[in-house]
Amino acid sequence: MKNLKIAIQKSGRLNEKSVQLLKNCGLDFENYKSSLITTVNNFSLEILFLRDDDIPGYVAQGIADLGIVGENVIDESRVTVEYLQRLGFGKCTLKIGVPKDSAIKKVDDLQGKAIATSYPVILQEFLDEHKIQATIREISGSVEIAPGLGLSDAICDIVSTGGTLKSNGLKPFADVRKSEAILIGSKGIEENPILCELLQRIQSVLRAKETKYVVLNVEKTNLPQITELLHGVKSPTVVPLAEEGWVAVHTVITEDDFWDKINTLKAAGAQGIVVMPIEKIIL
Ligand code: ATP
Ligand code: ZN
């Protein structure tokens, strides 16, 4: 069967995590900084290393069958691709920022103003939604300095912690779009058996990331209470300890409200709780 081609970012914020995800799926490949294409040794896949902006277009045209890219880049490129799997990394928000002392207090105040951004398509959609007419000044980088230079009244850029905004005398003002990395595919790729296998592996890696393997000790008398708390897990493994009347419980718990769950288990008599990462969960 013909190899599939997957496009990932060559360097930048998504590169490392994209490479790591593919490696965690058991794919064996060389990752030289200089190579633009590499063949996976143990799977029918070639990896193309591209600028993220080019990935949606390559996938839409079928030059690459698959791609890993931020949702913001897909929206900005306006091409049609299949959304196959959210990947849980590269999370960020496209926000509008204004100078700290700006008179712009609400979205309506952007009427007639100039906004600098590298994301003119997404920003225009946001402005249209709010029925605002504003001038979009498209610049390709260092958008945060535009207001200071008198180029714009506001900016629209990606923010994760807000540190860059702050150090340039700006404050976040309105959220335009949330984004995370996503696996995309060209039209008609969903049924491809190589993709189905890859997708199954990706999902097992993602599931494992959301869960932890937990071993705890508990007195036998408290066991019913503990197993009650662990409902949702098919059946925890219970192993007798050398000390009479005690058992070890092995189980898997999900990462959401992790500390609440651990504290409730402790309150119910769990001791010596050991938490371990899980590599893969195959259903
Ligand atoms: P390229 O050279 O490939 O064009 P770039 O400079 O356009 O790279 P990066 O800064 O590497 O892009 O960001 C790539 C993607 O990572 C963004 O499109 C976005 O989806 C996500 N991203 C950007 N900034 C952050 C951030 N601060 N935190 C998390 N994810 C981010
Ligand atoms: Zn880019």
Side-chain angles (χ1 to χ4, degrees):
M1 197 178 299
K2 202 171 132 278
N3 279 355
L4 289 190
K5 293 194 181 73
I6 185 168
I8 66 171
Q9 195 188 22
K10 177 164 174 51
S11 63
R13 289 175 185 275
L14 300 183
N15 166 267
E16 208 174 297
K17 291 205 164 128
S18 305
V19 167
Q20 198 54 53
L21 174 66
L22 297 177
K23 296 230 160 175
N24 289 345
C25 288
L27 308 190
D28 171 37
F29 57 93
E30 301 292 349
N31 180 29
Y32 299 123
K33 282 281 163 255
S34 56
S35 57
L36 300 176
I37 183 161
T38 186
T39 303
V40 176
N41 297 321
N42 58 354
F43 199 78
S44 304
L45 192 70
E46 280 162 49
I47 305 172
L48 312 181
F49 297 92
L50 301 175
R51 280 209 51 197
D52 67 347
D53 312 66
D54 297 333
I55 293 176
Y58 271 55
V59 173
Q61 291 173 58
I63 297 168
D65 306 286
L66 304 169
I68 295 179
V69 70
E71 293 170 292
N72 55 313
V73 176
I74 306 168
D75 282 6
E76 194 59 35
S77 70
R78 279 200 275 204
V79 297
T80 310
V81 290
E82 306 290 338
Y83 283 53
L84 300 173
Q85 177 68 52
R86 307 177 79 81
L87 300 173
F89 61 85
K91 286 189 178 167
C92 57
T93 308
L94 201 60
K95 291 190 186 200
I96 296 184
V98 292
K100 262 192 297 227
D101 51 3
S102 171
I104 300 171
K105 304 279 184 222
K106 50 187 194 309
V107 175
D108 278 347
D109 297 340
L110 291 168
Q111 201 67 253
K113 298 287 195 263
I115 311 169
T117 190
S118 313
Y119 296 95
V121 173
I122 299 177
L123 176 57
Q124 188 63 59
E125 266 171 24
F126 175 83
L127 295 174
D128 290 349
E129 243 168 59
H130 290 85
K131 302 195 169 41
I132 287 168
Q133 303 224 329
T135 307
I136 298 179
R137 299 214 196 286
E138 186 179 347
I139 47 180
S140 58
S142 307
V143 171
E144 292 85 358
I145 61 168
L149 297 175
L151 192 65
S152 70
D153 305 292
I155 64 147
C156 172
D157 202 9
I158 283 176
V159 174
S160 53
T161 61
T164 318
L165 282 187
K166 207 169 171 197
S167 60
N168 284 284
L170 303 171
K171 61 178 181 196
F173 159 73
D175 287 4
V176 173
R177 197 215 195 287
K178 287 196 184 311
S179 174
E180 73 181 87
I182 183 159
L183 177 74
I184 54 171
S186 48
K187 215 168 174 319
I189 197 75
E190 286 102 324
E191 302 293 311
N192 183 291
I194 303 169
L195 167 65
C196 292
E197 171 66 25
L198 180 66
L199 210 47
Q200 193 195 329
R201 294 193 192 187
I202 289 177
Q203 285 161 356
S204 80
V205 172
L206 295 177
R207 263 195 302 273
K209 217 183 266 169
E210 291 160 9
T211 48
K212 294 276 180 269
Y213 194 87
V214 175
V215 180
L216 56 87
N217 295 338
V218 65
E219 240 174 323
K220 252 188 191 159
T221 46
N222 290 328
L223 186 59
Q225 237 183 307
I226 295 282
T227 36
E228 174 66 21
L229 286 171
L230 293 174
H231 67 93
V233 184
K234 231 184 209 166
S235 164
T237 308
V238 179
V239 188
L241 292 182
E243 190 173 338
E244 192 61 35
W246 282 78
V247 290
V249 177
H250 292 233
T251 190
V252 165
I253 68 177
T254 52
E255 190 70 277
D256 55 307
D257 54 37
F258 175 81
W259 286 107
D260 280 351
K261 286 178 193 158
I262 292 290
N263 288 334
T264 334
L265 288 170
K266 268 169 78 178
Q271 294 183 13
I273 304 173
V274 176
V275 180
M276 287 165 279
I278 298 175
E279 193 174 312
K280 294 182 181 66
I281 295 182
I282 294 127
L283 294 181

